[in-house]
């Protein structure tokens, strides 16, 4: 029996035979040992449990989202570098074909769902309650549950790299390749359950922030007085509420096909693979806008702050954001113009796709007019914003080219598409969230990041980006298609592929500069003298950095769009400080272990379904039920912070007097 167990572990459970994966297994094992040792040596287990694992504080949840996304950026970035090394030299087997298929699949999933989404949710959590003058989100318990569902879903997906085998049917897992006949291994099951579990968390976050924004704004903050970042979050979360249920149902049907032998997406039993492709893109294309809409809000905040001007065209910007959210649901068929939908259908989706360029263009002009005659300064957040504009204009123009149905027959599945996709998502989403991260970093941690190292990282990222992706447009026009791992010498593609690979490594170097920047800034910690690091315009800059647990000692009253800026201007012009309302006890939620435990139970159940181990499925399901029952009978879920404690905290932080 013992020998059988050893054989199972070596032949089926762990991935063996690939030195790259063996290196990853050893690295993961050593990292886990180091973490356990450090926590034990410094006696930080209790701190980890009470301060982080069970917290419902939106700011700490936001920080955990951001840390997770940076780790996933590293994982997805390493995948990208491995692919570029493979493609730099024709007819070489640095990665064998199966490993290459697994890497381009996991790279896409990780970068979209486990890097961009959590980075976005991290900024939601940290910024939105502070900008609307709220003390928390609408459902703190659900917020914690959302994070842990995302985290354990991501872990379930990532563990497939070293246990069981990674998915290798592409990041959208088209059938029949993703069906049991095309992918008999476990990788596709890890894909289904990893995304399914984290997707539930994403949907809950969308609902939570829609309710938070609509119901918890400070007195006087009407919808048309909200900061633009809040508007962008609202439009993104509304899109999440309509898009993510489609993903949940689609993956559930695929699971039924694979687990119970149904035929929703297989022709042999009366199903239809095109139904899957329609459903997955009905989620997939709005997903692109889900992650990029908040970046538009970030750019709006930064342009206004560093131009010392009110945002130009506020109402048109709101209209643009909501229009994009709406039209994003009428573009999915442009992903398969070549699959025989017919001229009329193709024409409809070509037009609706082109329509999105209009509100997108409106925003670019608004940012430019905001900068026009402004008192411009160029710290790191502003540099990322400036860099975004030309990058996104090129991405938008190539997107319009792809939306022309006849032309798409030339571009479809070529490297032109790959270049466009990365131009939009890196230039828009990654640049946008980096800008937001640099901008709100002092609010999160109370100190700024080192500007010099940040500018080195900025230039390396931008140079590497253009060196990497501009050649890919040409490669696409030369006929190079996506998803193959080698090509012949006589194709003439190697020089441009070498240039592209050099660009990818420059971006990898830029990431190392950012890590150095964070480490350097922590080592030479220099606390911000006040909470208003950038002479900001919105409410988050009116309180100390980092923000206290309760955010605002007194709930602010809002009278204009840029509430904090207007108040500073009023005082600078000789206005008298407004009388302060007396402090009152602040109602806050208590920490809870249930979100963590219920997410662990989902992980156990998902892992059991992947391996078809009922001895894990049943305990996991029971764990979920017990946690839900325990929550239903939890009555001691909140408390009040007394006035004297608020006074002590404000005095220590230099907050409101």
């Amino acid at each position: 029996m013992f020998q059988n167990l050893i054989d199972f572990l070596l032949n089926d459970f762990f991935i063996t035979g690939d030195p790259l994966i063996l290196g990853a297994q050893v690295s993961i094992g050593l990292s886990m040992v180091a973490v356990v040792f450090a926590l034990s040596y410094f006696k930080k287990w209790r701190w980890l449990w009470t301060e982080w694992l069970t917290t419902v504080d939106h700011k700490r949840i936001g920080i955990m989202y951001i840390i997770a996304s940076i780790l996933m950026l590293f994982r997805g970035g390493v995948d990208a570098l491995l692919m570029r090394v493979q493609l730099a030299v024709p007819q070489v087997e640095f990665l064998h074909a199966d490993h290459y298929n697994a890497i381009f699949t996991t790279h896409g999933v990780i970068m979209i769902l486990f890097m961009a989404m959590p980075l976005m949710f991290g900024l939601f959590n940290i910024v939105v309650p502070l900008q609307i003058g709220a003390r928390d989100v609408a459902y703190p318990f659900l917020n914690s549950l959302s994070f842990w569902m995302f985290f354990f879903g991501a872990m379930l997906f990532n563990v497939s790299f070293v246990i069981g085998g990674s998915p290798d049917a592409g990041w959208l897992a088209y059938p029949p390749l993703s069906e049991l006949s095309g992918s008999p291994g476990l990788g596709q099951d890890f894909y289904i359950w990893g995304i399914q579990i984290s997707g539930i968390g994403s949907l809950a976050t969308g609902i939570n922030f829609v309710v938070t924004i609509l119901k918890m704004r400070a007195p006087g903050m009407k919808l048309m007085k909200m900061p633009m970042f809040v508007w962008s979050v609202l439009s993104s979360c509304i899109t999440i509420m309509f898009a993510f249920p489609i993903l949940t149902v689609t993956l559930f049907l695929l699971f039924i096909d694979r687990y119970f032998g149904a035929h929703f997406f297989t022709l042999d039993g009366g199903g239809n693979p095109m139904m899957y492709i329609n459903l997955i893109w009905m989620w997939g294309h709005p997903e692109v806008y889900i992650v990029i809409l908040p970046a538009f809000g970030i750019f709006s905040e930064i342009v206004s702050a560093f131009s010392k001007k009110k945002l130009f065209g506020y109402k048109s910007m709101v209209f643009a954001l909501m229009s994009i959210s709406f039209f994003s649901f009428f573009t999915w068929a442009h992903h398969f113009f070549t699959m025989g939908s017919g001229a009329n259908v193709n024409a409809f989706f070509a037009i609706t796709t082109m329509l999105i360029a209009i509100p997108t263009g409106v925003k670019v002009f608004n940012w430019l007019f905001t900068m026009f005659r402004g008192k411009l300064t160029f710290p790191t957040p502003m540099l990322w914003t400036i860099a975004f504009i030309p990058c996104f204009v090129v991405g938008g123009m190539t997107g319009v080219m792809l939306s022309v149905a006849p032309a798409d027959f030339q571009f479809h599945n070529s490297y032109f598409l790959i270049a466009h996709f990365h131009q939009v998502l890196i230039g828009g989403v990654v640049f946008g969230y980096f800008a937001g991260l640099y901008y709100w970093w002092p609010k999160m941690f109370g100190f700024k990041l080192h500007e010099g190292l940040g500018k080195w990282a900025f230039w390396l990222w931008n140079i590497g980006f253009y060196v990497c992706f501009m050649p890919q447009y040409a490669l696409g026009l030369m006929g190079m298609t996506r998803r193959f791992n080698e090509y012949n010498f006589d194709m003439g593609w190697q020089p441009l592929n070498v240039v592209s690979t050099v660009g990818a490594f420059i971006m990898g170097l830029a990431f190392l500069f950012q890590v150095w920047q964070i480490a350097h800034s922590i080592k030479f910690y220099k606390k911000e003298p006040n909470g208003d690091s950038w002479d900001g315009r919105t409410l988050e800059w009116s309180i100390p950095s980092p923000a206290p647990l309760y955010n605002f000692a007194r709930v602010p009253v809002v009278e204009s769009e840029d509430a904090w800026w207007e108040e500073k201007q009023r005082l600078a012009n000789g206005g008298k400080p407004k009388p302060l309302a007396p402090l009152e006890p602040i109602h806050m939620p208590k920490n809870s272990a249930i979100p963590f435990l219920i997410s662990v139970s989902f992980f156990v159940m998902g892992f059991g379904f992947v391996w078809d181990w009922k001895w894990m499925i049943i305990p996991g399901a029971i764990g979920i039920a017990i946690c839900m029952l325990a929550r239903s009978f939890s009555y001691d879920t909140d408390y009040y912070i007394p006035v004297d404690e608020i006074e002590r905290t404000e005095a220590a932080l230099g907050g409101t007097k």
Side-chain angles (χ1 to χ4, degrees), residues 83-134:
M83 284 189 287
R84 289 310 320 166
V85 170
Q86 171 67 30
L87 293 174
V89 183
Q91 293 178 318
V92 68
E93 192 167 328
F94 171 68
L95 300 173
H96 61 76
D98 291 340
H99 194 181
Y100 186 86
N101 289 344
I103 283 182
F104 79 64
T105 299
T106 55
H107 169 75
V109 174
I110 286 172
M111 286 305 203
I112 295 290
L113 292 173
F114 300 135
M115 189 283 286
M117 291 289 282
L119 191 49
M120 176 181 83
F121 289 150
L123 293 173
F124 285 10
N125 268 280
I126 288 163
V127 179
V128 170
L130 300 181
Q131 282 201 332
I132 64 172

Side-chain angles (χ1 to χ4, degrees), residues 173-421:
Y174 281 6
L177 189 56
S178 59
E179 291 280 359
L180 207 53
S181 57
S183 299
L186 301 176
Q188 216 49 50
D189 300 302
F190 276 113
Y191 174 96
I192 291 171
W193 282 99
I195 295 178
Q196 196 70 289
I197 292 171
S198 67
I200 295 170
S202 299
L203 177 59
T205 298
I207 296 169
N208 205 347
F209 276 89
V210 168
V211 178
T212 300
I213 292 169
L214 294 181
K215 301 295 290 185
M216 298 187 68
R217 300 190 307 279
M221 183 179 281
K222 296 179 180 178
L223 285 175
M224 294 308 287
K225 289 181 181 176
M226 291 196 307
M228 194 50 63
F229 179 66
V230 178
W231 267 112
S232 70
V233 173
L234 181 63
S235 59
S236 176
C237 288
I238 289 173
T239 314
I240 288 174
M241 288 173 56
F242 287 98
F244 267 75
I246 302 172
L247 175 67
T248 302
V249 170
T250 307
L251 292 179
F252 184 67
L253 295 178
L254 183 61
F255 162 71
I256 292 176
D257 271 11
R258 290 180 59 87
Y259 199 78
F260 295 106
H263 297 283
F264 288 106
F265 305 127
T266 56
L267 288 173
D268 54 349
N272 188 346
M274 278 306 297
M275 184 168 71
Y276 179 93
I277 296 172
N278 274 284
L279 287 171
I280 201 73
W281 278 116
M282 286 173 75
W283 159 79
H285 203 80
E287 167 66 12
V288 175
Y289 295 102
I290 285 170
V291 293
I292 206 167
L293 282 168
F296 295 153
I298 292 170
F299 293 134
S300 301
E301 299 290 342
I302 290 174
V303 165
S304 180
F306 295 113
S307 301
K308 304 294 181 197
K309 282 179 66 182
K310 182 178 284 191
L311 183 68
F312 181 88
Y314 177 93
K315 292 181 180 178
S316 64
M317 190 74 89
V318 171
F319 179 74
L321 291 172
M322 300 310 287
S323 298
I324 293 171
S325 174
F326 175 76
F327 281 115
S328 69
F329 287 96
F330 297 94
T331 58
W332 83 88
H334 74 221
H335 290 274
F336 40 93
F337 277 152
T338 60
M339 295 188 188
S341 298
N344 291 334
V345 172
N346 282 357
F348 174 82
F349 284 96
I351 292 169
T352 51
T353 302
M354 292 176 197
L355 282 177
I356 286 192
I358 297 172
T360 304
V362 166
K363 293 193 302 303
V364 173
F365 282 110
N366 283 350
W367 295 321
L368 293 176
F369 280 120
T370 303
M371 285 187 271
F372 181 63
R373 292 183 175 174
K375 297 177 181 176
L376 293 172
T377 54
F378 298 96
T380 319
M382 187 64 166
L383 288 180
W384 284 104
T385 304
I386 297 289
F388 153 80
I389 293 176
C391 185
F392 197 73
V393 167
V394 174
M397 290 171 62
T398 52
V400 172
M401 291 170 69
L402 285 162
S403 72
V404 179
D408 189 69
F409 278 76
Q410 176 66 33
F411 303 134
H412 188 71
N413 269 345
S414 73
Y415 251 72
F416 188 93
L417 171 66
I418 299 296
H420 158 74
F421 186 70

Side-chain angles (χ1 to χ4, degrees), residues 447-469:
F447 65 94
K448 283 183 182 176
L449 290 171
H450 188 271
E451 277 286 298
L453 290 171
K455 287 176 179 172
W456 269 97
F458 166 80
W459 285 110
L460 287 171
W461 259 106
N462 276 269
I463 293 169
F465 173 81
Y466 286 102
V467 172
C468 181
F469 293 107

